[in-house]
Amino acid sequence: MKTREFDVSGTPETLAQVHPVMTGRVSRRFFLRAASVLGLSVVSQPILSKIAGDLPADAGSADNIFVVASGSPAITLDPGTVFDGQSILLWRGVYENLVTYRDDTIEIAPGLAESFTGSDDGLTYTFKLRQGVKFHDGEPFNAAAAKFNIERIRAMKVGLGYVFEDAELETPDEYTLVIRLKTPQDAFLSSLAGMWSPYMISPKAIRDNTVNDDWGAAWLRSNMVGTGPYRLKSYQKDQQATLERFDGYWDTSGDDHFQAVVVRYISDPSTLQLVLQSKQVDSALWLPDDSLNALQGSPDINMDEYPTFSTTFFMMNCAKGPTADKRIRQAIAYAFDYDAWINKINTGRLVQARGPVARGLPSYSEDTPQYSRDFDKAKALLAEAGHPDGGFSLDYTYETGYAWKREFALLLQANLKELGIDLNISEISPAAWFDLLQNPDSQPHCYGFIWFGSLMARAYDVMQLMFGSNAQGKNGLNWAYYSNPEMDSVLAEAVKEVDAEKRIALYRKAEKMIVDDSPALFLSYSKYRVPIVKEVEGYISNPMYIYTYPFNRMKFAT
């Protein structure tokens, strides 16, 4: 289906001439959805706040445009360079990996590589790439492009670049890529399949837009050139993104998928819920639980529960401030009311976490020690640390769009008050939050964090990236600045162990060390709920791809 541009610089009468949404000869459903894409507010005064040209001119039926409202904006459009949960929504529509996860499983399936093999010793992987695949700028995808993209994240030291740090990359012919590792890597193929894996970006686009040897990073924060089913048409940071179907996409099996996808960023939870209920949008992400509960059972919305590898944490600065003392951290872990968090605030939908490793991963164990509320232990630990009556304050910072983090903080604030500890709560933008935490000089005492899923369907990633000594600051997600060299050593041994039983035992040993040191409160494991209007079909949830959609497998029912 082709799209045509139309001028929207004229009067309302001009708009009425060029598009049926202004003529009144459309259904209420189409008007609400089209108004959403145009930026017209139906929940308050009608105002034209977006570029109407982003709406395909032939979108005269509801089958063509899928509109998503997201409660939290993208951090960057440069794929796989930051570990955030917001940007991946756009990445998955525009970019692709060499391999992928099949349907709702963690089984590795072909992606841009049509086949792949691995040696018995776990050191050599060979990928046969699809021929005839084009980037959105018309450049061919081949082995040289795949090699270039892996070299890029390795050189930039971002994302999963550390996985390929010592790897040798070879291209024996135009459509064959060989990766040789110096040591085995547990679940190595997963490093090429996930939401934070190396994506394939047009090397020409990167080279043409590289400034000061930045590998095109500045330009790619707001531009996208991939091989995926959609290409970026427009992007207004923190406001809206529009993706249009790429007519040259290599996989023609889903020709009836959406003509365009529009993502609108709406930070207010009440508005987010309202635009979905009024069908101004077709789905919504980052809704707080009370809004999801209100939508449950709606006759117009499907909302099932799906398993995830998600774990929520309350992270504490282990390098400075009161929480640098392990006894203070343990006291906080014993002071928190886990039952209220699980059963009152989250209405019993969550399960209390034991440690950083999520249920469903091979090394998860019910034998991992678990904290529970014990006020006497908390008081005793505070006294041992020299603060029998508390008498100090902690700073907690969370980012806009994460309502659960405020709900959690208010509960913890009340719990700590009983110990004589004040918790100061502040809210900032997601981008500012990332900058704050990645700087060891500005990092606050505490923050909330959700681990969306294992990066590589293994226990190593969450423990390494969030608790590894070499993953502090911009080198990973260890913004608690926790360090335990013994744990680091055990973890490094585990990821190289070929024997599965020995590997699992080592992972469990490392996890128990982390739990004892208490750099975090291990709050809960969760299920994933995503509300989608009933007219949409084809949605599949994969625990490795939550907070995204398989856009090219979805469509409106005819």
Side-chain angles (χ1 to χ4, degrees):
M1 225 179 267
K2 302 282 187 181
T3 63
R4 61 182 175 87
E5 301 291 342
F6 54 92
D7 180 21
V8 296
S9 59
T11 64
E13 289 76 14
T14 304
L15 290 173
Q17 292 171 7
V18 298
H19 201 278
V21 73
M22 298 297 178
T23 68
R25 297 189 297 272
V26 293
S27 68
R28 171 174 170 79
R29 168 174 166 73
F30 176 68
F31 172 76
L32 290 172
R33 296 184 61 253
S36 172
V37 179
L38 290 168
L40 295 171
S41 173
V42 182
V43 299
S44 58
Q45 269 187 312
I47 55 172
L48 186 60
S49 60
K50 306 295 179 193
I51 300 173
D54 282 349
L55 180 64
D58 60 351
S61 76
D63 292 12
N64 292 328
I65 305 172
F66 184 67
V67 184
V68 180
S70 174
S72 195
I75 299 297
T76 178
L77 304 192
D78 192 355
T81 57
V82 296
F83 295 112
D84 79 276
Q86 302 93 278
S87 306
I88 55 179
L89 172 62
L90 299 180
W91 297 349
R92 193 180 181 193
V94 174
Y95 291 112
E96 294 178 297
N97 305 122
L98 293 182
V99 292
T100 187
Y101 294 104
R102 191 183 307 279
D103 298 330
D104 58 353
T105 73
I106 57 174
E107 177 188 348
I108 301 296
L112 288 175
E114 61 183 3
S115 66
F116 46 89
T117 57
S119 61
D120 291 340
D121 60 7
L123 295 177
T124 303
Y125 294 84
T126 302
F127 302 86
K128 296 294 184 180
L129 308 184
R130 296 185 189 277
Q131 300 185 28
V133 176
K134 297 286 186 181
F135 287 101
H136 299 159
D137 60 359
E139 291 293 302
F141 168 74
N142 51 31
K147 179 174 181 285
F148 180 85
N149 276 280
I150 295 174
E151 290 174 335
R152 176 179 185 259
I153 65 161
R154 179 170 65 183
M156 293 174 65
K157 299 185 184 302
V158 295
L160 292 181
Y162 65 90
V163 174
F164 307 92
E165 188 174 10
D166 297 320
E168 295 179 9
L169 308 176
E170 301 172 5
T171 54
D173 61 55
E174 188 175 5
Y175 293 102
T176 302
L177 173 69
V178 179
I179 301 178
R180 300 186 190 279
L181 306 177
K182 290 189 176 180
T183 57
Q185 283 273 356
D186 176 26
F188 173 74
L189 285 174
S190 286
S191 71
L192 296 164
M195 292 314 304
W196 296 277
S197 297
Y199 288 86
M200 298 298 111
I201 310 170
S202 165
K204 182 178 186 301
I206 293 172
R207 293 187 179 107
D208 288 351
N209 294 284
T210 292
V211 178
N212 298 325
D213 298 322
D214 73 343
W215 290 85
W219 185 79
L220 284 166
R221 289 191 192 103
S222 55
N223 294 275
M224 309 177 86
V225 186
T227 61
Y230 292 88
R231 61 184 178 186
L232 181 68
K233 182 173 185 183
S234 66
Y235 178 62
Q236 297 86 42
K237 183 173 172 55
D238 299 337
Q239 297 180 46
Q240 180 166 301
T242 300
L243 309 180
E244 64 179 358
R245 196 160 76 177
F246 177 44
D247 289 337
Y249 185 51
W250 60 269
D251 184 357
T252 59
S253 61
D255 280 347
D256 54 353
H257 61 83
F258 308 123
Q259 172 68 20
V261 173
V262 176
V263 179
R264 300 185 64 202
Y265 298 114
I266 301 172
S267 61
D268 179 65
S270 298
T271 304
L272 198 60
Q273 178 182 337
L274 186 56
V275 294
L276 180 60
Q277 286 177 318
S278 60
K279 290 194 173 181
Q280 293 183 60
V281 301
D282 299 303
S283 187
L285 296 176
W286 302 105
L287 279 162
D289 274 350
D290 57 350
S291 294
L292 291 171
N293 293 339
L295 293 168
Q296 197 80 49
S298 169
D300 299 319
I301 294 171
N302 285 324
M303 186 167 59
D304 295 323
E305 287 193 341
Y306 302 98
T308 76
F309 296 139
S310 293
T311 306
T312 51
F313 302 86
F314 168 73
M315 306 299 299
M316 294 174 278
N317 194 321
C318 300
K320 65 179 184 179
T323 53
D325 190 320
K326 173 180 172 178
R327 295 165 297 184
I328 297 290
R329 300 194 303 268
Q330 289 177 328
I332 293 172
Y334 282 117
F336 184 63
D337 191 342
Y338 299 92
D339 181 69
W341 170 249
I342 299 293
N343 295 311
K344 294 180 181 177
I345 293 178
N346 290 287
T347 63
R349 289 191 55 257
L350 307 181
V351 176
Q352 184 183 341
R354 292 188 167 275
V357 179
R359 293 185 304 173
L361 292 176
S363 66
Y364 172 79
S365 173
E366 291 286 337
D367 293 330
T368 301
Q370 185 179 57
Y371 286 94
S372 59
R373 182 166 166 78
D374 189 324
F375 195 73
D376 290 337
K377 277 189 179 181
K379 288 284 289 183
L381 284 162
L382 278 182
E384 185 181 328
H387 298 277
D389 300 312
F392 59 87
S393 63
L394 298 173
D395 295 329
Y396 172 90
T397 305
Y398 73 100
E399 67 274 46
T400 300
Y402 286 73
W404 74 265
K405 294 188 179 184
R406 179 168 180 80
E407 293 173 341
F408 159 79
L410 292 173
L411 173 60
L412 180 63
Q413 186 181 58
N415 295 157
L416 294 182
K417 194 72 175 176
E418 298 177 61
L419 295 174
I421 303 171
D422 292 325
L423 184 68
N424 304 316
I425 304 171
S426 59
E427 175 185 354
I428 58 177
S429 72
W433 184 81
F434 268 88
D435 290 340
L436 185 74
L437 298 183
Q438 289 179 341
N439 184 343
D441 296 325
S442 64
Q443 199 267 24
H445 299 128
C446 313
Y447 62 97
F449 193 87
I450 181 168
W451 178 264
F452 291 104
S454 177
L455 299 181
M456 295 169 60
R458 63 184 187 180
Y460 176 81
D461 302 301
V462 63
M463 290 193 282
Q464 164 59 26
L465 286 171
M466 292 189 65
F467 303 102
S469 298
N470 61 353
Q472 296 180 3
K474 294 183 178 180
N475 294 321
L477 296 173
N478 185 357
W479 304 328
Y481 297 90
Y482 166 76
S483 180
N484 182 334
E486 184 182 359
M487 191 283 297
D488 294 335
S489 178
V490 172
L491 200 56
E493 185 180 354
V495 76
K496 296 184 293 185
E497 178 56 61
V498 177
D499 183 273
E501 188 174 336
K502 292 179 181 178
R503 182 172 63 245
I504 287 173
L506 288 167
Y507 280 143
R508 289 175 176 174
K509 181 179 180 180
E511 182 177 32
K512 287 180 179 179
M513 291 179 179
I514 294 170
V515 171
D516 180 64
D517 284 339
S518 195
L521 269 61
F522 307 102
L523 299 177
S524 47
Y525 308 124
S526 61
K527 291 185 178 181
Y528 178 52
R529 291 186 291 177
V530 54
I532 305 176
V533 295
K534 289 192 172 179
E535 291 87 344
V536 172
E537 57 185 33
Y539 174 78
I540 295 176
S541 178
N542 187 295
M544 301 297 290
Y545 296 145
I546 62 172
Y547 294 100
T548 71
Y549 303 83
F551 292 130
N552 64 316
R553 301 182 65 172
M554 298 168 63
K555 63 180 181 179
F556 285 98
T558 55

